[in-house]
Amino acid sequence: MKKALKYEGKGKALFSTDVEGELIQVFKDDATAFDGKKHDVITGKGHLNCAISSFFFEKLQAAGIKTHYIQQEGDNEMRIQALKMMPVEVVVRNIAAGSICRRLGLEEGLRLQRPLTELFYKDDALGDPMINTEHCELFGWAKAEDIHAMRQLARDVNRVMSDMLEAVGIRLVDFKLEFGLRHGEIVLGDEITPDGCRLWDIESGRKLDKDVFRQDLGGLSEVYHEVATRLGINI
Ligand code: TMP
Ligand code: ASP
């Protein structure tokens, strides 16, 4: 049962529960982009994201990756373990798209020779600037050994997710993960949804992720529903 609201973000809210160390994460219908500058409410998005995230966390746990996921409860609620979150986003890229194209002048769609991991400081007001391990250590955001573990886990997640998506004809272009500490150990937290991934249909190149909202390419819930259905998730 949900108790007090602990934190509310752009796409999710966190509530305490009557069990110590367990939280309820609620997926909202809000869609935001460009660090909150673009905003809309899309009915059904919270439900879709909760189901997709639960699906991925279950598969990752089955592959031996430690996550905060406990279980899905109701349409848009997920029971999770409380973590001490780090203000660092880990992005994995298989194909160039988005900010790396702007930063390095790369053409969208360039296949990278191996997966690339990047770190960003989680701060909307600053526009989530790119950082490195030294910034994390110097400013106390995360220890070097924790960053090393996060990058390694992110590569493991990339392998598991890329295989699952490729099996249903979807290319995992890039994605963002957030991690936290539980009893001193790095655990995968946050969410894994098309809000934080780039997913392209392998045959047509069609975008099946939040770029549809960012770039006004059509209905967002329709493409999220398509991703869920192709993965065999019952909505
Ligand atoms: P980027 O191209 O904007 O750096 O984003 C790379 C991937 O990470 C893309 O799938 C979107 C995701 N991402 C988020 O979900 N939230 C963020 O704050 C950032 C920086 C990236
Ligand atoms: N941090 C950004 C936001 O949600 C990511 C994006 O542009 O999608 O506002």
mmCIF file of all heavy atoms in Angstrom, residues 10 32-38 89 124 128 195 210 214, ligand 2:
data_model
loop_
_atom_site.group_PDB
_atom_site.id
_atom_site.type_symbol
_atom_site.label_atom_id
_atom_site.label_comp_id
_atom_site.label_asym_id
_atom_site.label_seq_id
_atom_site.Cartn_x
_atom_site.Cartn_y
_atom_site.Cartn_z
ATOM 1 N N LYS A 10 9.490 13.998 -13.584
ATOM 2 C CA LYS A 10 8.698 14.355 -14.770
ATOM 3 C C LYS A 10 7.817 13.194 -15.226
ATOM 4 O O LYS A 10 6.695 13.410 -15.654
ATOM 5 C CB LYS A 10 9.630 14.777 -15.911
ATOM 6 C CG LYS A 10 10.442 16.039 -15.567
ATOM 7 C CD LYS A 10 11.135 16.605 -16.794
ATOM 8 C CE LYS A 10 12.175 15.685 -17.366
ATOM 9 N NZ LYS A 10 13.504 15.763 -16.769
ATOM 10 N N THR A 32 7.583 14.273 -21.386
ATOM 11 C CA THR A 32 8.369 15.511 -21.443
ATOM 12 C C THR A 32 9.584 15.273 -22.315
ATOM 13 O O THR A 32 10.023 14.143 -22.496
ATOM 14 C CB THR A 32 8.869 15.961 -20.043
ATOM 15 O OG1 THR A 32 9.817 15.008 -19.575
ATOM 16 C CG2 THR A 32 7.735 16.110 -19.059
ATOM 17 N N ALA A 33 10.114 16.342 -22.840
ATOM 18 C CA ALA A 33 11.358 16.260 -23.618
ATOM 19 C C ALA A 33 12.089 17.578 -23.503
ATOM 20 O O ALA A 33 11.515 18.576 -23.047
ATOM 21 C CB ALA A 33 11.071 15.949 -25.078
ATOM 22 N N PHE A 34 13.329 17.565 -23.928
ATOM 23 C CA PHE A 34 14.185 18.754 -23.884
ATOM 24 C C PHE A 34 14.215 19.319 -22.459
ATOM 25 O O PHE A 34 13.926 20.493 -22.226
ATOM 26 C CB PHE A 34 13.710 19.790 -24.917
ATOM 27 C CG PHE A 34 13.492 19.175 -26.285
ATOM 28 C CD1 PHE A 34 12.237 19.156 -26.879
ATOM 29 C CD2 PHE A 34 14.550 18.573 -26.948
ATOM 30 C CE1 PHE A 34 12.037 18.558 -28.123
ATOM 31 C CE2 PHE A 34 14.361 17.973 -28.195
ATOM 32 C CZ PHE A 34 13.106 17.967 -28.781
ATOM 33 N N ASP A 35 14.529 18.420 -21.522
ATOM 34 C CA ASP A 35 14.648 18.771 -20.106
ATOM 35 C C ASP A 35 13.390 19.466 -19.580
ATOM 36 O O ASP A 35 13.463 20.433 -18.828
ATOM 37 C CB ASP A 35 15.912 19.610 -19.854
ATOM 38 C CG ASP A 35 17.168 18.825 -20.230
ATOM 39 O OD1 ASP A 35 17.223 17.635 -19.910
ATOM 40 O OD2 ASP A 35 18.059 19.407 -20.873
ATOM 41 N N GLY A 36 12.257 18.964 -20.001
ATOM 42 C CA GLY A 36 10.977 19.432 -19.464
ATOM 43 C C GLY A 36 10.369 20.591 -20.234
ATOM 44 O O GLY A 36 9.254 21.021 -19.930
ATOM 45 N N LYS A 37 11.068 21.109 -21.248
ATOM 46 C CA LYS A 37 10.552 22.291 -21.970
ATOM 47 C C LYS A 37 9.334 21.925 -22.811
ATOM 48 O O LYS A 37 8.455 22.759 -23.048
ATOM 49 C CB LYS A 37 11.646 22.919 -22.841
ATOM 50 C CG LYS A 37 12.706 23.640 -22.010
ATOM 51 C CD LYS A 37 13.757 24.311 -22.903
ATOM 52 C CE LYS A 37 15.086 24.496 -22.226
ATOM 53 N NZ LYS A 37 15.940 23.292 -22.192
ATOM 54 N N LYS A 38 9.274 20.680 -23.285
ATOM 55 C CA LYS A 38 8.106 20.219 -24.035
ATOM 56 C C LYS A 38 7.347 19.243 -23.140
ATOM 57 O O LYS A 38 7.954 18.329 -22.561
ATOM 58 C CB LYS A 38 8.570 19.534 -25.330
ATOM 59 C CG LYS A 38 7.442 18.998 -26.183
ATOM 60 C CD LYS A 38 7.946 18.579 -27.556
ATOM 61 C CE LYS A 38 6.801 17.906 -28.305
ATOM 62 N NZ LYS A 38 6.891 17.978 -29.725
ATOM 63 N N GLU A 89 23.745 9.597 -15.069
ATOM 64 C CA GLU A 89 23.050 8.792 -16.064
ATOM 65 C C GLU A 89 24.105 8.096 -16.923
ATOM 66 O O GLU A 89 25.064 8.733 -17.358
ATOM 67 C CB GLU A 89 22.173 9.682 -16.945
ATOM 68 C CG GLU A 89 21.150 10.473 -16.125
ATOM 69 C CD GLU A 89 20.203 11.286 -16.982
ATOM 70 O OE1 GLU A 89 20.575 11.662 -18.104
ATOM 71 O OE2 GLU A 89 19.083 11.546 -16.498
ATOM 72 N N ASP A 124 18.474 18.862 -14.674
ATOM 73 C CA ASP A 124 17.694 19.502 -15.742
ATOM 74 C C ASP A 124 18.105 20.948 -15.978
ATOM 75 O O ASP A 124 18.206 21.398 -17.120
ATOM 76 C CB ASP A 124 16.202 19.481 -15.390
ATOM 77 C CG ASP A 124 15.537 18.194 -15.845
ATOM 78 O OD1 ASP A 124 16.172 17.426 -16.591
ATOM 79 O OD2 ASP A 124 14.386 17.967 -15.438
ATOM 80 N N ASP A 128 21.586 18.391 -18.206
ATOM 81 C CA ASP A 128 22.265 17.083 -18.103
ATOM 82 C C ASP A 128 23.607 17.072 -18.842
ATOM 83 O O ASP A 128 23.779 16.363 -19.845
ATOM 84 C CB ASP A 128 21.376 15.950 -18.670
ATOM 85 C CG ASP A 128 20.126 15.696 -17.834
ATOM 86 O OD1 ASP A 128 20.084 16.148 -16.682
ATOM 87 O OD2 ASP A 128 19.213 15.039 -18.353
ATOM 88 N N ASP A 195 10.830 5.694 -23.325
ATOM 89 C CA ASP A 195 11.153 7.090 -23.004
ATOM 90 C C ASP A 195 12.660 7.295 -22.933
ATOM 91 O O ASP A 195 13.155 8.399 -23.191
ATOM 92 C CB ASP A 195 10.592 7.475 -21.627
ATOM 93 C CG ASP A 195 9.133 7.865 -21.679
ATOM 94 O OD1 ASP A 195 8.548 7.873 -22.775
ATOM 95 O OD2 ASP A 195 8.577 8.165 -20.596
ATOM 96 N N LYS A 210 10.645 7.699 -27.833
ATOM 97 C CA LYS A 210 10.226 9.069 -27.506
ATOM 98 C C LYS A 210 10.603 10.093 -28.568
ATOM 99 O O LYS A 210 10.075 11.218 -28.556
ATOM 100 C CB LYS A 210 10.762 9.484 -26.132
ATOM 101 C CG LYS A 210 9.952 10.622 -25.518
ATOM 102 C CD LYS A 210 10.225 10.804 -24.046
ATOM 103 C CE LYS A 210 11.398 11.695 -23.794
ATOM 104 N NZ LYS A 210 11.586 11.962 -22.348
ATOM 105 N N ARG A 214 9.388 13.852 -29.397
ATOM 106 C CA ARG A 214 10.333 14.979 -29.541
ATOM 107 C C ARG A 214 10.206 15.624 -30.912
ATOM 108 O O ARG A 214 10.233 16.833 -31.050
ATOM 109 C CB ARG A 214 11.789 14.497 -29.371
ATOM 110 C CG ARG A 214 12.158 14.028 -27.983
ATOM 111 C CD ARG A 214 13.669 13.804 -27.872
ATOM 112 N NE ARG A 214 14.041 13.139 -26.632
ATOM 113 C CZ ARG A 214 14.194 11.819 -26.499
ATOM 114 N NH1 ARG A 214 14.045 11.016 -27.541
ATOM 115 N NH2 ARG A 214 14.518 11.306 -25.337
HETATM 116 N N1 ASP B 2 16.077 14.756 -19.790
HETATM 117 C C1 ASP B 2 15.285 14.949 -20.981
HETATM 118 C C2 ASP B 2 13.839 15.169 -20.611
HETATM 119 O O1 ASP B 2 13.128 14.234 -20.309
HETATM 120 C C3 ASP B 2 15.470 13.829 -21.940
HETATM 121 C C4 ASP B 2 14.779 14.107 -23.246
HETATM 122 O O2 ASP B 2 15.029 15.110 -23.910
HETATM 123 O O3 ASP B 2 13.987 13.253 -23.626
HETATM 124 O O4 ASP B 2 13.400 16.279 -20.591
#
